[in-house]
Amino acid sequence: MDSTSWLSASSFHANTILVASTCTLLPCLAYVIFQRLLNPLIRFPGPTLAKWTSYYMAYYDIWKGGGWIEQLQELHQLYGPVVRVGPNQLHFNDPQAYADIYSSTSKFTKDPDLYGLFPADDSLFTQTDPRKVSARKPLVAPFFSRQMVLTLEETIQSTVDTLIRQLLKNHSSSQAPANLNLALRSATFDIITTYCFAKSINTVSYPNFHNDILVSMDTMLPAISLAKHFRIVKLIILNTPHWLTPILVPSMKHAVDQLKDVEDMVERVMKDSNSETGFSHRTVFHSLLDGAQSGGYGARRKTHAITKRWLADEGAIFRFAGSDTGSSTCVIGCRYVLADGEVLGKLVKELDEAWPDKSVPARFELLEKLPYLTAVIKESLRLSPGVTSPLARIVGAGGATIAGHFVPEGTSVAMANSFVHLNPDIFADPGRFKPERWLQPDSISLEKHLVAFGKGSRSCIGTNLAWCELYLIMGNIFRKLDLTPTTDVRSPYRARDYFVPLFDEDILHHDSDSRGAVKIDVMAKKERFEFVN
Ligand code: HEM
């Protein structure tokens, strides 16, 4: 190479390097300037790293195994009631902020960065577009109305009966103690499956309540945190053929079978929505199609097509949203009731008196009138993390004032339910399980702060079903069984935040189970008025 061509080659390389570095550095510089000088969130305090990258949160979600909610508590202690927890995210710890963010008139929408992680893009739960939500909700809601719950109450009762029978048959004090957590998870899983799909998998009848479907669901939960920060995980989940997943991750086999089962059901119902052959009652899919075909949905609003994907996504979400949320409420409730002899005594007395003949099922409508049972359930909802994660919303056009702070349009804002439930200004001595707090003359003022089901236009659609199952499960357990804990029910417990809770096994003191347990010995309750010759 002569010297002229060498010079021109080297200056070409220098130019290329210059252009490449400029192309890389300029956007970085622009990002730095924006974050340091122009980002309107700059005035909100928070950890430096969180202002720069959402991987700050990822560290706690993934590396600290569902530890984000715990970190949020520390952050609020350090920085006060509003913390900038990400480049575009604020988290609040102020009851007024909760009211502002989740009010029914709020124009905030669900944050796609959070809800986009669920591999069910077509469900109501994951919808962020308000037009689609208002078209979809009237189709989903009737199946979970109070009237429908009362109509299908027997299907819930029959699972509760099986739960009680299994506990009595296999876990009396001479037998192995029951894992109450697994028992209740199986029950709520069966209830939602039978209620929605009119067929039971009967996991509650499995020996020791051990079944691979629940184990499979546990395997999936940490993937929620991964998918939240790395969308590729969701793409992999969605695009891996059903037959390949169990080969790659054997413990996922049963979760995949469940998804396939829902898809098969959808296909059958779509082929003939008038036929109920093979189902014990009309399923949620029949109900959705009835609504859609009567013109209330796509036909009128033309927002969305009636597809197999839509129905399958709704089905998958109902099962996810409607099982562990209820069981964690019951398991935490049972734990606290068993830990306090006075609470247990009052609850049992009320149930014995209101329901003298326990061989005849007590209806939901009777149980919901019992003040102490109701107070126990409210306290269980307050202290149990049914949904643990902060439910992120995007501030609408023009920005908004949240708890006195102006927050610009497009900001992601949230306040996790537990920050309301554990606020000492609302609930005195908030860590204590005290049903009596709901029975005072001024208790009505507390009701608006019970936010376990969320608030506003995107609050829980399964609330009626949830209340019914909570009454039937808690009522039947404490009316029919004498439970003796064989583990320390007063010890603290940790719930990892994977949107829904995953109880930490060590803290609940158990040995070999996959998830936290309250181990109990079970006895049939002796009748107080039993006459013995
Ligand atoms: C104790 C039990 C339950 C608790 C604590 C609970 C809690 C919640 C909460 C906090 C939300 C709001 C989530 C958000 O903003 O992203 C929610 C939404 C939802 N829940 Fe529940 N839930 C329970 C039971 C159920 C049941 C039994 C179903 C029945 C299928 C259900 C179905 C749903 C659905 C579909 C949504 C989404 C609603 C929407 O996006 O508009 N939940 N639930």
Side-chain angles (χ1 to χ4, degrees):
M1 191 187 287
D2 62 25
S3 61
T4 342
S5 58
W6 183 85
L7 267 178
S8 65
S10 66
S11 80
F12 172 77
H13 285 309
N15 283 343
T16 315
I17 290 168
L18 189 70
V19 170
S21 346
T22 314
C23 289
T24 321
L25 286 177
L26 266 184
C28 293
L29 194 67
Y31 185 68
V32 170
I33 292 172
F34 176 73
Q35 292 293 15
R36 296 295 305 175
L37 305 173
L38 303 174
N39 190 321
L41 299 186
I42 196 128
R43 64 207 153 83
F44 293 103
T48 310
L49 202 58
K51 293 176 187 174
W52 291 98
T53 169
S54 58
Y55 289 116
Y56 175 84
M57 188 192 293
Y59 172 78
Y60 292 96
D61 274 336
I62 300 167
W63 193 254
K64 292 282 182 181
W68 179 235
I69 202 81
E70 287 152 350
Q71 178 60 10
L72 277 175
Q73 277 150 11
E74 301 214 349
L75 292 179
H76 281 293
Q77 282 189 356
L78 269 175
Y79 295 104
V82 196
V83 182
R84 188 170 169 202
V85 293
N88 186 39
Q89 281 163 300
L90 298 177
H91 189 272
F92 289 81
N93 180 15
D94 180 334
Q96 183 54 49
Y98 195 94
D100 291 340
I101 298 172
Y102 303 101
S103 85
S104 47
T105 52
S106 146
K107 295 272 182 289
F108 300 176
T109 52
K110 283 191 171 184
D111 182 351
D113 274 354
L114 174 65
Y115 293 91
L117 76 90
F118 296 94
D121 289 334
D122 233 356
S123 66
L124 166 69
F125 169 71
T126 54
Q127 287 309 313
T128 55
D129 177 348
R131 280 177 318 126
K132 286 188 182 168
V133 173
S134 55
R136 189 76 64 83
K137 216 164 188 174
L139 293 184
V140 178
F143 197 74
F144 298 100
S145 66
R146 182 175 165 90
Q147 196 194 344
M148 187 58 110
V149 168
L150 292 175
T151 308
L152 293 179
E153 183 179 338
E154 264 172 42
T155 68
I156 306 170
Q157 181 65 50
S158 105
T159 300
V160 176
D161 290 343
T162 315
L163 168 74
I164 302 289
R165 252 197 325 274
Q166 289 299 101
L167 284 167
L168 283 172
K169 192 170 118 208
N170 300 326
H171 301 283
S172 65
S173 41
S174 57
Q175 297 164 304
N179 176 331
L180 196 56
N181 189 23
L182 276 182
L184 292 167
R185 289 184 68 207
S186 308
T188 51
F189 181 82
D190 284 351
I191 288 171
I192 193 69
T193 307
T194 321
Y195 185 92
C196 285
F197 310 139
K199 73 183 235 188
S200 177
I201 300 172
N202 212 2
T203 59
V204 87
S205 291
Y206 280 49
N208 297 321
F209 305 104
H210 264 281
N211 65 81
D212 295 328
I213 300 171
L214 296 184
V215 175
S216 245
M217 281 163 69
D218 289 353
T219 317
M220 279 195 324
L221 280 184
I224 284 189
S225 283
L226 272 179
K228 184 169 159 191
H229 300 284
F230 302 100
R231 280 295 192 273
I232 179 99
V233 175
K234 175 178 164 180
L235 282 178
I236 294 172
I237 294 175
L238 282 177
N239 293 308
T240 308
H242 284 342
W243 59 267
L244 185 58
T245 309
I247 297 174
L248 300 174
V249 191
S251 58
M252 295 275 287
K253 176 177 181 328
H254 296 272
V256 172
D257 288 350
Q258 288 305 305
L259 284 178
K260 219 181 136 330
D261 190 41
V262 169
E263 283 172 12
D264 291 347
M265 246 182 278
V266 167
E267 245 168 46
R268 275 167 54 204
V269 177
M270 281 185 88
K271 256 191 212 137
D272 184 0
S273 63
N274 290 321
S275 161
E276 288 166 44
T277 317
F279 299 108
S280 58
H281 57 259
R282 280 178 84 71
T283 66
V284 70
F285 302 125
H286 289 97
S287 171
L288 290 169
L289 283 177
D290 286 350
Q293 283 159 358
S294 66
Y297 185 48
R300 198 174 45 181
R301 304 193 185 237
K302 296 204 182 334
T303 45
H304 212 289
I306 298 167
T307 61
K308 183 178 154 193
R309 187 68 278 136
W310 165 45
L311 296 175
D313 280 359
E314 295 288 19
I317 285 293
F318 294 149
R319 203 174 241 169
F320 170 75
S323 47
D324 280 4
T325 43
S327 67
S328 65
T329 308
C330 292
V331 84
I332 294 303
C334 286
R335 209 172 183 277
Y336 279 113
V337 170
L338 293 173
D340 187 331
E342 206 183 315
V343 170
L344 176 64
K346 285 186 192 171
L347 177 61
V348 167
K349 183 169 181 290
E350 182 183 70
L351 281 164
D352 285 357
E353 285 172 5
W355 182 3
D357 182 358
K358 67 180 178 189
S359 63
V360 180
R363 299 294 311 258
F364 168 41
E365 283 173 314
L366 170 94
L367 295 175
E368 70 180 342
K369 292 195 180 77
L370 303 184
Y372 204 74
L373 175 60
T374 304
V376 162
I377 294 176
K378 285 182 182 167
E379 202 57 350
S380 308
L381 282 165
R382 185 179 71 82
L383 283 176
S384 70
V387 172
T388 41
S389 288
L391 305 167
R393 302 289 190 259
I394 298 289
V395 174
T401 300
I402 302 176
H405 302 271
F406 179 76
V407 179
E409 167 179 349
T411 309
S412 173
V413 291
M415 177 164 160
N417 293 345
S418 56
F419 283 83
V420 181
H421 289 164
L422 297 176
N423 185 317
D425 297 333
I426 304 172
F427 298 103
D429 196 1
R432 204 167 143 222
F433 188 85
K434 216 167 104 189
E436 287 69 21
R437 72 173 85 242
W438 298 100
L439 299 169
Q440 305 308 310
D442 58 349
S443 298
I444 193 89
S445 65
L446 291 183
E447 300 287 342
K448 67 172 184 292
H449 298 296
L450 185 63
V451 296
F453 296 106
K455 286 275 172 193
S457 61
R458 303 305 298 272
S459 63
C460 181
I461 207 148
T463 309
N464 294 309
L465 172 58
W467 274 106
C468 180
E469 73 177 1
L470 294 176
Y471 273 108
L472 293 189
I473 291 175
M474 297 293 275
N476 277 268
I477 283 186
F478 288 103
R479 175 64 185 94
K480 294 182 178 168
L481 305 176
D482 260 331
L483 306 179
T484 310
T486 59
T487 49
D488 180 7
V489 284
R490 287 189 185 87
S491 61
Y493 58 87
R494 179 177 182 233
R496 292 171 185 271
D497 166 22
Y498 292 124
F499 200 83
V500 292
L502 185 66
F503 291 115
D504 199 319
E505 40 199 326
D506 293 327
I507 289 180
L508 283 165
H509 298 283
H510 73 112
D511 2 282
S512 56
D513 305 296
S514 66
R515 277 179 75 165
V518 176
K519 291 230 169 146
I520 48 157
D521 285 337
V522 185
M523 294 281 287
K525 182 154 282 159
K526 294 226 170 46
E527 289 303 340
R528 291 187 312 127
F529 308 111
E530 213 168 37
F531 184 73
V532 183
N533 272 320

